Amino acid sequence: RGQALQPLFKMSYSCSKAGNPRPGHPYKGGNFCAFLPENTEGVKIAKLLKRAFECELTFQIKSCNGEERVTWGPIPHKTSWDGGKARNGYPDAQYLYEVGTVL
């Protein structure tokens, strides 16, 4: 496995805004963790992911059973070191290329 960069996002409770499922209503936050390899390409992707976060592209608010909550947005993240592509984990030889294309 080696060393890895681990972006950790903490999203607290807040109120949604225009463009969210129910503007002005509170939503439930959460802790989100993603993994990247600590190599040249991984560092490059980490910088792009930071920029995407700053532009509010990383997360979205979804309504589930009458409750709004923060979920991952359309940018793919590796949330596990194992399990392969099917389980959002490694190994996935194409991940850095694919997420780079999305970003």
Side-chain angles (χ1 to χ4, degrees), residues 28-78:
K28 185 176 181 180
N31 294 324
F32 300 83
C33 189
F35 300 91
L36 292 168
E38 191 173 48
N39 59 27
T40 303
E41 191 66 18
V43 171
K44 176 183 165 187
I45 294 299
K47 289 176 183 176
L48 293 172
L49 286 171
K50 181 178 186 242
R51 180 72 177 125
F53 178 78
E54 292 167 350
C55 293
E56 300 182 5
L57 301 172
T58 306
F59 298 99
Q60 59 191 0
I61 299 173
K62 286 192 176 178
S63 185
C64 180
N65 298 324
E67 176 181 70
E68 279 69 43
R69 63 180 51 233
V70 176
T71 63
W72 288 110
I75 300 168
H77 285 78
K78 290 297 176 187

